[in-house]
Amino acid sequence: MRLQRIVGEDRAIRTNIYLRNALLGTAWSSRLEFPPGFQFGAATSSYQIEGGWDADGKGPSIWDRLFHSAANSGYFNQTGDVAADSYHQWRQDVKAAADMGLDFYRFSISWPRILPTGRTNVVSPAGVRYYSQLIDVLLAAGIKPVVTLYHFELPVTIQDLGGWTNPLIVDLFGEYARLVYSLYADRVDTWITINEGIVICDLTYNFGQFAPQIKEPTFAPFLCNKHVMLAHAKAYRIYDEEFRAKCGGKVSIANNLLWVEPVTPDDLELAELGRQHSIGRFSHPIFSKEGGWPPTTEKLMRAVSRREGYSQSRLPAFTDEEKKFVQGTADFFSLNHYTTSMIRPARAGEAPGTWFINGSAELNAVLEHPPGSTYGALDIMPIYPPGFRRLLNWVRQQYGDVEVFVSENGLATSGTNLEDHIRVDYLTRYMEQVLLAMEDGVRVTGYTVWSLIDNFEWFDGYNTKFGLYEVDFEDPARSRRPRLSAHHYACVIKHRRLKYPESCVQERRNGRR
């Protein structure tokens, strides 16, 4: 039954080579090798590692305000005030990246650290210097900086104007992007404008937990969605028109792609609608030939809005000019992926929940975990590697032979444990799926582990660990130590193979690289 369900899942994907290899993803790639030029890296985000929340004149972000307020519902009221103290200990991060032999390090810039007021009227020399030093030392170590302009860290001054639900943010983000390009584009050639619009919009406003803790699931997620697309396009156009000729870099947007499969063969159409409703809303306007929202999503939202008594769709339309402005504004497809869900219609009397974690109110659907899944520390992220391959093939089927860059993939653990065999297994199995997808014809050029070091994991605080390197949060110096997964990843990078000499990890433990 399981085989029949997957075979029938998508006719375009069904014909791919992986159905002749191993549907369940248990067989190794025939080569086990990554091709020449394939890039390996790791990632972090500013609020989660930097600390120095008010150092050297930094302005407050929406997360600073939330975790300093009475509404702080985080893990034992922990905050990111110090985090891994990368504002002061950033050289330790560079050393960790260099010791593993990373090709690149993806990090984000804190908007209020560069612009304390959120606007370009005040530029922080200390903030500018911090990122400039980090970039220079990375380059000196032979590590390419991959820079994210926005990773959830909005200045409170802009949030107080409505944040991502105010169309003004399109121009404000453009001003910020132009300034950052002018400071660093001579040394940075790969840019991510915005990280995970589905988190910024859907997760934030549907649940009301993430900063700025506003719950308004009717209009806010879709206003935010449109403004994220326009703000990204604004930043892309600025780079394209003012910096590309001189700097020759690439720009994209990183979307979180939850792979969705049908619970039964009857749910095939619903599964595809679910993909378009989550992935498509943040990808179709950029990567499709026609631009704008996915047609099935537009149709769905018109029907839902009409039933609810609204004269217009809750999904705000793009004008023809806006469609053209957004269309084509990415030089590669940047995706974050962690997990897979199964989708089915909500039953009579069953609440569908909201999209991203529980299901979708608009789709009247419920998400379930794949049968037989295993888990790390987060039960919202079942481990299901085959979904990654199917997702990568779906991206190619939807958007053509686009360059794909995996900008995040990783597993959460908890507690103090340097022997993280479960993370080694996760990374190996998910990288295997990348190789298999590449054999299918998907043009994947890079892979990024989330995360380089342990960080402040939002409302899980310091309890949840994603790091290849453990951070001692009791040590004032926030010392870093490599986990087994760091040694494993370093050996994969060194040999460019998933299977490498058994002596490699032991040599690294003994201090030999």
Side-chain angles (χ1 to χ4, degrees), residues 284-317:
H284 193 276
I286 297 171
F287 294 97
S288 69
K289 293 180 180 179
E290 62 271 22
W293 302 118
T296 54
T297 299
E298 281 193 307
K299 181 180 178 181
L300 168 74
M301 291 303 298
R302 281 196 302 268
V304 168
S305 302
R306 191 162 45 245
R307 286 198 306 269
E308 294 170 340
Y310 296 108
S311 59
Q312 293 181 328
S313 174
R314 291 196 276 114
L315 181 67

Side-chain angles (χ1 to χ4, degrees), residues 28 63 90 133 153 185 191 214 226 230 240 252 302 336 376 449 475:
W28 286 95
W63 288 99
W90 57 271
Q133 289 177 329
E153 210 169 349
W191 296 90
I214 296 172
K226 181 177 179 180
L230 291 171
D240 197 45
S252 189
R302 281 196 302 268
N336 302 346
V449 174
D475 179 2

Side-chain angles (χ1 to χ4, degrees), residues 229 237 276 280-298 315-329 398-399:
M229 305 314 297
R237 299 294 182 191
Q276 295 296 344
R281 279 193 292 121
F282 295 90
S283 303
H284 193 276
I286 297 171
F287 294 97
S288 69
K289 293 180 180 179
E290 62 271 22
W293 302 118
T296 54
T297 299
E298 281 193 307
L315 181 67
F318 285 110
T319 66
D320 289 342
E321 184 179 7
E322 287 171 337
K323 283 184 182 179
K324 292 178 181 177
F325 185 69
V326 176
Q327 193 175 14
T329 55
Q398 289 288 307
Y399 306 119

Side-chain angles (χ1 to χ4, degrees), residues 50-236:
E50 285 180 4
W53 78 274
D54 63 349
D56 299 323
K58 175 186 169 291
S61 75
I62 54 177
W63 288 99
D64 294 321
R65 180 159 67 183
L66 187 157
F67 284 121
H68 292 165
S69 73
N72 181 1
S73 57
Y75 189 79
F76 289 100
N77 291 319
Q78 293 174 342
T79 75
D81 287 2
V82 180
D85 198 27
S86 289
Y87 187 64
H88 301 102
Q89 307 295 339
W90 57 271
R91 290 184 186 274
Q92 289 196 60
D93 299 339
V94 177
K95 183 179 185 303
D99 284 349
M100 283 191 293
L102 298 188
D103 297 308
F104 64 87
Y105 172 41
R106 180 189 169 210
F107 63 91
S108 71
I109 289 178
S110 168
W111 188 339
R113 192 177 297 286
I114 292 282
L115 300 177
T117 68
R119 306 295 296 270
T120 54
N121 63 313
V122 178
V123 180
S124 167
V128 170
R129 182 169 57 252
Y130 169 65
Y131 296 110
S132 186
Q133 289 177 329
L134 175 58
I135 290 167
D136 285 344
V137 175
L138 283 169
L139 291 171
I143 301 167
K144 184 171 78 170
V146 174
V147 175
T148 304
L149 293 173
Y150 184 82
H151 197 126
F152 310 162
E153 210 169 349
L154 194 66
V156 296
T157 52
I158 295 178
Q159 178 56 49
D160 289 344
L161 297 174
W164 288 100
T165 62
N166 185 343
L168 178 64
I169 200 167
V170 176
D171 287 333
L172 294 179
F173 186 70
E175 288 179 2
Y176 163 61
R178 178 182 284 109
L179 175 70
V180 175
Y181 293 150
S182 70
L183 293 168
Y184 309 124
D186 60 330
R187 290 163 287 164
V188 175
D189 65 7
T190 304
W191 296 90
I192 305 293
T193 57
I194 296 169
N195 186 72
E196 296 185 341
I198 198 169
V199 172
I200 299 167
C201 301
D202 293 35
L203 183 61
T204 294
Y205 292 109
N206 282 334
F207 290 89
Q209 183 183 27
F210 256 43
Q213 286 199 328
I214 296 172
K215 185 174 182 179
E216 200 295 301
T218 307
F219 295 101
F222 303 107
L223 288 169
C224 174
N225 190 169
K226 181 177 179 180
H227 299 154
V228 161
M229 305 314 297
L230 291 171
H232 156 75
K234 183 79 169 182
Y236 180 93

Side-chain angles (χ1 to χ4, degrees), residues 354-409:
T354 47
W355 186 252
F356 189 76
I357 300 297
N358 295 334
S360 174
E362 287 79 26
L363 273 67
N364 193 33
V366 170
L367 295 181
E368 298 178 348
H369 293 178
S373 297
T374 56
Y375 300 86
L378 296 177
D379 59 8
I380 63 171
M381 292 184 178
I383 300 170
Y384 191 73
F388 197 10
R389 184 182 188 179
R390 297 171 199 147
L391 167 64
L392 291 167
N393 273 280
W394 184 87
V395 168
R396 181 171 182 260
Q397 177 231 331
Q398 289 288 307
Y399 306 119
D401 186 30
V402 61
E403 176 188 346
V404 175
F405 175 72
V406 179
S407 39
E408 287 183 27
N409 178 238

Side-chain angles (χ1 to χ4, degrees), residues 229-269:
M229 305 314 297
L230 291 171
H232 156 75
K234 183 79 169 182
Y236 180 93
R237 299 294 182 191
I238 289 170
Y239 187 89
D240 197 45
E241 294 166 8
E242 302 176 26
F243 297 90
R244 189 184 301 276
K246 181 179 180 180
C247 303
K250 292 183 176 182
V251 181
S252 189
I253 181 172
N255 289 323
N256 187 315
L257 274 58
L258 171 72
W259 178 240
V260 178
E261 294 189 353
V263 170
T264 74
D266 292 338
D267 303 325
L268 288 169
E269 186 175 336

